[in-house]
Amino acid sequence: MSIVAGVDFGTLSVRVTLADSEKGSLGTCVAEYPLERRRSDPDLATQAHVDHMEALVLAMHRVTDECGVDSKEIRAIAVDTTGSSVLPVDKNMQPLGDYYLWCDHRAKAEAEEITAMAHDMHIEAIEWCGGTYSHEWGFAKLLHWMRHNPVQRERFGTAVEHCDMAAAVLTGVTDTARMVRSVCAMGHKWMWNPKWGGLPSQAFLSRVDPLFDGVREKIGGTYQTSASIAGGLSTYWGERLGLTPGIPVPTGAFDAHWDAIGAGCRLGDVVNVIGTSTCIIAVSERVRLIPGVCGVVPGSAHPDLVGVEAGLSATGDLFDAIARRAGTTVSKLAEGLESIEGGKTGLMRLPWDNGDRTVLVRSDLGGMTLGWHLGHTAQDELYAAIEGTAFHTRVILERMEQHGVPVNRVINGGGIPQRNDILNQIYANVIGKPILVPDGIPTGLGSGIFAALASKDHGSIESAQAAMCVGYRKFEPDPSTRGRYETLYQLFKQVYMGFGTSSLGDFSQVLGDIKRIAAGESIRSEFGHRSARKMALL
């Protein structure tokens, strides 16, 4: 038995979990840090590196004190972070500003230029990230920084994802050439893949913008999975954290990917990490292109399997927005949701408030609520929004299955499923499969599992999961809602594809059909024929 530390950097706070390598979580503590936003520039979202590290020190000391653990007994520390959090640094790894956080949306023009040039030059990498390069991702944010920081450009050494910066700092790396990069981060956000020799070619990058001249070489270092060690904890950070210098620090990764591992993800599972947005994580034995899915990367979530990432751009954020407009909180608005009969609000909610991450990959889409009448309430919209996120999740799962990703178990991870049984039941009813929910908080367990691998207390992910993961609560589909949700799902797909593509444009019956379903009436037979013909196009 060993004690290890798992670190999870989220959007607003860092969580440090101490875990027993044989018993699982011993306790968790959190420390917050600020997120800078500006009314004058609503797309901006940045954070300071120093704030992250100060919060880590505070959370580490809190958790060792609260758990009554001698910090010198901790045998490894592993770090995951939010993805698409990009920091330019100089050649000595000193920050040249703040992180562009994942929710920083300033690089839209840059992303469009990268996408257009990739298609013009027939760059294979663009097809493996859903056909569209996101404004949230690394090269788009780096180009935006270069264009808007001309004074700093001469000092530019490289750009790093937060998970790689954290590991580099903790292990004392002060030379960009010596840093270790996560294949999880670089594969899902920087178009890296061994299939085409790593990053896209310098010729392509320079065609996007001459400011990128020489950048491919600067995005260097060693690329490896989280089964490998980034280095030993430095003396300086050992003293600040109260840990033993030299303990192993594995290569980092994104929080959703390690959250999936902490939720027990194995071959045949899909984990919905549901928080402010939803990250959908699966693993597969084979590398296969999945149209509209933004990441298929060997070794990203599980070092020995192919990681598949998809997701929804707004989930918890959407629920919060509905409550805020109603002048209340989600928890207050959710009181009494259990009295609403599934599929019978008379509303259909398209959860595109932050665009569509998967499978349309369109940031320009906006949220829609169809079917309003004067008696509808904000609570009806909240219920329909939960249904809408479930419908959208089902669209994604079906796309993954169509292209060879097994979906035998569906696990709802993340924070929201821990406190919202109504959501879990709706997901089971809509998806038509049992939903498993970890019976305890899995956040931080994933990083603890990789720390336990680094400390050599476990020889495999599966061994560590068997010892450290919690059990599940199960939500079975309610048979009484099956027919209603199947019909609504076909309508949802029709609207989803109709507004998102040009393939299904006849919505003349949709609003009437939604009303008829809410009233418990049967949908007339021509809907079935119309639906069957159109769904064959999907």
Side-chain angles (χ1 to χ4, degrees):
M1 182 271 290
S2 295
I3 297 174
V4 295
V7 178
D8 172 75
F9 279 99
T11 303
L12 297 173
S13 63
V14 61
R15 175 191 303 267
V16 179
T17 299
L18 298 187
D20 183 312
S21 62
E22 294 299 328
K23 297 178 181 178
S25 177
L26 298 175
T28 297
C29 283
V30 173
E32 297 180 346
Y33 34 73
L35 167 64
E36 182 180 357
R37 287 197 179 273
R38 296 176 187 168
R39 183 184 295 271
S40 61
D41 188 357
D43 285 334
L44 180 144
T46 62
Q47 283 179 333
H49 165 70
V50 66
D51 290 340
H52 287 158
M53 300 309 293
E54 290 301 318
L56 172 60
V57 172
L58 182 58
M60 180 65 73
H61 287 291
R62 283 176 176 171
V63 76
T64 52
D65 288 346
E66 288 195 13
C67 291
V69 169
D70 181 350
S71 60
K72 297 297 183 181
E73 295 180 2
I74 296 172
R75 292 187 52 185
I77 179 173
V79 180
D80 68 47
T81 70
T82 59
S84 298
S85 294
V86 179
L87 180 69
V89 298
D90 67 15
K91 65 180 181 179
N92 298 317
M93 299 293 292
Q94 295 303 303
L96 297 176
D98 290 344
Y99 282 97
Y100 280 59
L101 206 62
W102 67 270
C103 49
D104 187 300
H105 300 309
R106 287 176 289 168
K108 293 175 183 176
E110 288 76 12
E112 290 175 0
E113 293 170 41
I114 292 169
T115 298
M117 186 61 70
H119 285 294
D120 184 61
M121 294 181 64
H122 304 289
I123 301 297
E124 183 179 4
I126 196 66
E127 304 303 331
W128 289 79
C129 56
T132 303
Y133 197 75
S134 172
H135 60 275
E136 293 183 3
W137 297 348
F139 280 117
K141 287 179 172 174
L142 175 56
L143 183 55
H144 183 277
W145 180 86
M146 287 181 161
R147 288 174 172 176
H148 292 82
N149 292 273
V151 175
Q152 295 273 48
R153 282 202 298 260
E154 288 189 4
R155 295 182 58 204
F156 175 72
T158 191
V160 291
E161 285 280 347
H162 187 185
C163 63
D164 295 335
M165 182 66 174
V169 169
L170 290 177
T171 57
V173 173
T174 57
D175 179 355
T176 59
R178 292 182 50 237
M179 73 170 300
V180 172
R181 295 186 190 266
S182 161
V183 302
C184 174
M186 302 309 291
H188 287 284
K189 310 303 179 186
W190 293 78
M191 296 194 285
W192 177 90
N193 198 301
K195 189 175 189 293
W196 48 82
L199 294 171
S201 70
Q202 183 59 59
F204 160 69
L205 295 170
S206 294
R207 282 275 301 275
V208 172
D209 193 306
L211 288 175
F212 271 161
D213 287 351
V215 76
R216 190 180 193 275
E217 184 178 357
K218 290 184 176 181
I219 312 295
T222 303
Y223 287 62
Q224 58 191 35
T225 72
S226 297
S228 301
I229 304 300
L233 185 66
S234 72
T235 299
Y236 174 81
W237 282 103
E239 291 175 353
R240 291 215 60 196
L241 295 169
L243 307 181
T244 303
I247 62 172
V249 180
T251 303
F254 289 160
D255 50 359
H257 294 252
W258 279 11
D259 282 350
I261 295 298
C265 183
R266 64 192 188 199
L267 193 64
D269 293 347
V270 171
V271 180
N272 303 316
V273 184
I274 304 174
T276 53
S277 63
T278 295
C279 283
I280 298 175
I281 307 294
V283 290
S284 178
E285 292 181 309
R286 291 184 292 175
V287 180
R288 179 180 293 181
L289 179 65
I290 305 173
V293 171
C294 60
V296 180
V297 180
S300 64
H302 189 299
D304 301 323
L305 297 169
V306 178
V308 180
E309 178 187 335
L312 281 65
S313 294
T315 308
D317 273 353
L318 170 57
F319 306 154
D320 285 339
I322 293 169
R324 185 172 63 253
R325 287 193 291 267
T328 185
T329 64
V330 174
S331 59
K332 287 287 187 182
L333 195 59
E335 293 176 3
L337 280 183
E338 64 278 0
S339 65
I340 298 176
E341 192 171 354
K344 299 189 78 171
T345 63
L347 296 178
M348 177 179 290
R349 187 62 159 82
L350 275 292
W352 286 337
D353 298 57
N354 277 336
D356 183 290
R357 183 182 297 170
T358 316
V359 297
L360 301 175
V361 198
R362 288 187 56 182
S363 61
D364 61 329
L365 295 174
M368 297 192 303
T369 305
L370 305 181
W372 286 108
H373 60 62
L374 297 179
H376 276 126
T377 66
Q379 188 175 70
D380 293 324
E381 186 186 8
L382 176 60
Y383 197 97
I386 296 172
E387 291 176 326
T389 64
F391 286 136
H392 192 170
T393 298
R394 181 171 167 181
V395 170
I396 296 168
L397 298 188
E398 289 183 355
R399 176 63 62 91
M400 292 165 65
E401 285 185 295
Q402 289 164 3
H403 293 273
V405 177
V407 183
N408 301 327
R409 297 197 309 174
V410 180
I411 302 169
N412 275 3
I416 290 178
Q418 290 290 319
R419 56 184 185 272
N420 195 324
D421 287 353
I422 296 295
L423 178 142
N424 297 319
Q425 188 60 57
I426 290 172
Y427 273 53
N429 296 343
V430 167
I431 295 170
K433 295 183 178 183
I435 296 294
L436 302 179
V437 179
D439 193 14
I441 299 175
T443 304
L445 272 180
S447 50
I449 285 169
F450 281 97
L453 286 181
S455 68
K456 300 188 182 305
D457 285 282
H458 289 284
S460 69
I461 296 289
E462 291 72 20
S463 170
Q465 285 177 319
M468 300 172 69
C469 287
V470 299
Y472 299 105
R473 296 182 294 136
K474 183 184 286 189
F475 293 80
E476 295 281 358
D478 180 356
S480 70
T481 67
R482 180 174 180 180
R484 191 158 56 245
Y485 273 132
E486 284 300 314
T487 305
L488 275 172
Y489 178 61
Q490 298 306 318
L491 286 173
F492 181 89
K493 279 206 297 184
Q494 184 179 349
V495 176
Y496 178 91
M497 289 296 179
F499 274 88
T501 71
S502 59
S503 60
L504 303 173
D506 178 10
F507 307 141
S508 61
Q509 302 299 316
V510 169
L511 290 175
D513 286 340
I514 292 172
K515 286 185 177 181
R516 281 182 278 274
I517 293 168
E521 299 175 14
S522 298
I523 301 302
R524 54 188 179 276
S525 60
E526 56 261 35
F527 166 77
H529 297 303
R530 183 179 74 247
S531 178
R533 287 195 303 271
K534 294 193 171 191
M535 291 309 115
L537 298 174
L538 304 184

